[in-house]
Amino acid sequence: MRYRIYCLLFLLLARPLDLFAAESPADPLNSVMWHEMHQRLLDGAPVVFDERVRVSAPAVAEDSLNLPLWIDATALGEVERLLVFAELNPIPKVLDMQPLKAAPRIGLRIKVQQATPVRAAALTADGVWHLGGVLVDAAGGGCTAPSMGSGSSDWADRLGEVTARLWSRENHSRLRASIVHPMDTGLVAGIPAFYLEQLEIRASGGDLISRLALFEPIAENPVLTLDLPKVKQLTMAGRDNNGNPVEAQISESSQTGSNRL
Amino acid sequence: MRCLIFISVLLLVGVCQAVERDYQLKPQQVAEDTYVLIGHDEHFSFSNGGNIVNTGFIVTEAGVVVIDSGPSRLYGEQLKAAIARVTDKPVVKLFITHMHPDHFLGNQAFEDLPIGALKKTQGGIRLLGETFNDNLYRLVGSWMKGTRVVAPNLQVEPGLEEIGGHRLQLIALKGHTGADLVILDQTSGVLFAGDLVFYGRTPTTPHARLDEWQAALQQLQKLDFKVLVPGHGPPVTSEVAISQTSAYLNWLQTYLTEQAGSGAAMAELLQPEAPQHLRELAVFSEEYTRSLSHLYPALEAAALAEGKVEQQQ
């Protein structure tokens, strides 16, 4: 009798696992949300877990409002889209980037609500998503805390203001840009979602270099780091979800400091 | 039979819960009348219960003066018991060196006594004490049971204070936090440096201003002491702990400033290039990563401000 019950239990447990296993490879991070994310964010498209997609983040988020990430899929070669998500955030999707002429890598900071897998998915021309990721522990609460800017008086006057610098490196130009924006998630009572949604980087002649779709979990006053083809001057333009524009022309400084690489 | 096993398991669980956790505090004498309880060179964990900190006490003719109360109610109580094993004299006063939770959350055990701290330390504990307390529960668990914040009830002014034949020089400095109290016992020559000095363990920076900290270390160099008790790490008889703390902070400041100036993204710096003697400090990797979060945003903002941007709105 007991034998039969065990057999039944075994079958009950094993069947669904088997079914999933047939659909996608086992998740190295063993996340409960992975199958949900695969369906919701990647439309169930073919995926491989691939060490060439690197996600660098501290093992523990010291500040849940500002978890630094460095995402690098350059080892894959050509990448059509680079998607970043934090699985256990109430709003998982962080960034959807079309690298185009830029290198498929980016630095940014995000809010995390609790300990979570943070993943990057890079889509190659053959229609396969390559996934990398890490687990990050956190005290949490980053998504349901009001932005600091909402508490200070001058953020509204400086909304969309860009501070940026362009560094000339051996084979590329590095862009680091900081944009004044509260990046409110809409999860705090009485404060609607208010966040930068789109950014495009163009060469001075107008040629599109890279396109980014940003989402609520990106930290307040986003600081983005991108590697572009050699360029002396570019424009960064976009808007937030309320239609407020961001537009700035960024040039290589004549003196780029004493610490050039 | 099964029922019996079930009951014995229940009993065992009950017994385990009844056992008080024990920090195994052992006062070590560092000078005449002066004892130090040395914490682990680790991070907060369920196994060390937050005992990563040094506390100390001076047995004077007028009673015992305690410096810092540890990370929890339980630590405070066990500290009091450890003092009672050394002397019959009552505790008469507690000094809190700064606002960090591992140094003051044992205050409950000394609630009815004067608990002295610098004004900014009092304010900081009132403002952030509960947040610290919640966070320590998350990091060390049930060791924190019954711990609540008791803010220092006495504002300390810098200067000389004589207690039971010990001349205590109270020195107000800053840099590790906005207010760091240092106590030099001129009678015994013991310097309680608080967290302005770490020894063998990587310094922490959540409320640090590195320039002020370096200036404070220069002040400490000038003091005439026989034994220095750092906030974390073993007591020493030379100024080696001061120069080690200074060397680490100097490297941290220089490295992060250079990286910000050359355009590095924060998460590109998780594996820093650091000299071997600094890498060997306890919990180097964890504390460096925390410091990156604390210090890099301001350094990177300064570096970005040098860029050339025209707003086109």
Side-chain angles (χ1 to χ4, degrees), chain B:
Chain B
M1 180 58 196
R2 258 188 223 174
C3 191
L4 270 179
I5 294 174
F6 183 65
I7 289 171
S8 42
V9 166
L10 272 186
L11 278 174
L12 205 69
V13 170
V15 169
C16 290
Q17 277 179 341
V19 173
E20 270 280 75
R21 291 177 173 275
D22 189 353
Y23 283 108
Q24 310 267 346
L25 299 180
K26 290 185 184 66
Q28 296 185 21
Q29 190 162 13
V30 293
E32 197 179 355
D33 304 334
T34 311
Y35 299 81
V36 176
L37 300 98
I38 299 164
H40 301 278
D41 273 346
E42 298 168 2
H43 234 292
F44 295 112
S45 74
F46 279 73
S47 59
N48 64 35
N51 180 19
I52 60 165
V53 63
N54 295 342
T55 59
F57 61 93
I58 306 164
V59 182
T60 79
E61 283 162 21
V64 180
V65 176
V66 181
I67 292 116
D68 284 343
S69 65
S72 64
R73 172 193 62 85
L74 188 66
Y75 184 102
E77 286 167 358
Q78 292 181 1
L79 170 60
K80 216 172 172 177
I83 294 169
R85 290 197 296 272
V86 172
T87 174
D88 295 337
K89 294 207 167 73
V91 176
V92 291
K93 193 164 189 174
L94 167 64
F95 286 104
I96 298 301
T97 56
H98 65 290
M99 63 182 275
H100 286 155
D102 44 336
H103 297 261
F104 77 81
L105 279 173
N107 283 6
Q108 262 164 295
F110 306 92
E111 210 166 354
D112 47 349
L113 297 174
I115 304 177
L118 294 169
K119 189 178 178 200
K120 270 197 179 171
T121 304
Q122 286 180 297
I125 289 174
R126 285 197 198 103
L127 186 70
L128 293 172
E130 285 305 337
T131 311
F132 288 148
N133 196 11
D134 289 350
N135 204 25
L136 270 199
Y137 264 93
R138 193 180 72 82
L139 292 171
V140 313
S142 64
W143 293 86
M144 299 301 294
K145 203 166 115 189
T147 304
R148 66 186 156 73
V149 175
V150 174
N153 51 30
L154 180 73
Q155 186 182 319
V156 166
E157 299 295 341
L160 275 179
E161 181 171 339
E162 182 161 339
I163 304 178
H166 281 258
R167 275 162 58 91
L168 305 183
Q169 187 185 348
L170 308 176
I171 307 163
L173 295 171
K174 58 186 174 179
H176 175 68
T177 66
D180 297 292
L181 175 66
V182 166
I183 300 173
L184 175 61
D185 182 344
Q186 294 180 342
T187 310
S188 66
V190 177
L191 175 65
F192 289 93
D195 278 7
L196 285 173
V197 180
F198 284 67
Y199 188 44
R201 193 231 191 247
T202 316
T204 67
T205 59
H207 303 95
R209 289 278 313 265
L210 297 193
D211 49 344
E212 293 175 351
W213 194 339
Q214 292 284 12
L217 290 172
Q218 285 183 3
Q219 294 290 312
L220 294 184
Q221 294 270 20
K222 292 179 196 154
L223 295 175
D224 185 18
F225 61 84
K226 293 196 183 80
V227 178
L228 182 150
V229 181
H232 300 262
V236 277
T237 53
S238 73
E239 54 84 66
V240 60
I242 300 175
S243 45
Q244 188 187 72
T245 304
S246 175
Y248 174 78
L249 296 177
N250 184 44
W251 167 77
L252 190 63
Q253 173 89 16
T254 310
Y255 177 71
L256 294 182
T257 307
E258 276 175 15
Q259 292 298 325
S262 62
M266 200 156 139
E268 280 183 297
L269 303 177
L270 295 169
Q271 262 84 46
E273 296 148 32
Q276 190 58 29
H277 69 281
L278 297 179
R279 289 184 161 280
E280 282 167 2
L281 298 175
V283 291
F284 171 84
S285 174
E286 292 92 330
E287 290 300 351
Y288 161 76
T289 305
R290 293 182 67 209
S291 293
L292 180 64
S293 263
H294 305 146
L295 305 172
Y296 202 63
L299 295 171
E300 121 196 309
L304 289 185
E306 287 178 35
K308 212 171 136 194
V309 181
E310 277 175 54
Q311 314 289 332
Q312 306 201 312
Q313 284 181 50

Side-chain angles (χ1 to χ4, degrees), chain A residues 2 56-58 62 66 68-70 107 109 137-139 159-165 167 169 174 176 178 223 225 235 245-251 253 259 261, chain B residues 2 135 138 206 257-268 270 289-294 296-297 300-313:
Chain A
R2 192 180 290 167
S56 305
E62 174 67 9
N66 273 295
L69 301 179
W70 177 248
R109 299 207 269 273
D137 192 9
L159 185 72
E161 188 181 300
V162 176
T163 310
R165 190 164 157 186
W167 282 266
R169 292 190 167 182
R174 165 151 294 196
R176 301 202 74 207
S178 160
V223 181
T225 307
T235 61
V246 171
E247 194 171 353
Q249 188 177 71
I250 302 158
S251 320
S253 319
N259 299 311
L261 276 189
Chain B
R2 258 188 223 174
N135 204 25
R138 193 180 72 82
T257 307
E258 276 175 15
Q259 292 298 325
S262 62
M266 200 156 139
E268 280 183 297
L270 295 169
T289 305
R290 293 182 67 209
S291 293
L292 180 64
S293 263
H294 305 146
Y296 202 63
E300 121 196 309
L304 289 185
E306 287 178 35
K308 212 171 136 194
V309 181
E310 277 175 54
Q311 314 289 332
Q312 306 201 312
Q313 284 181 50

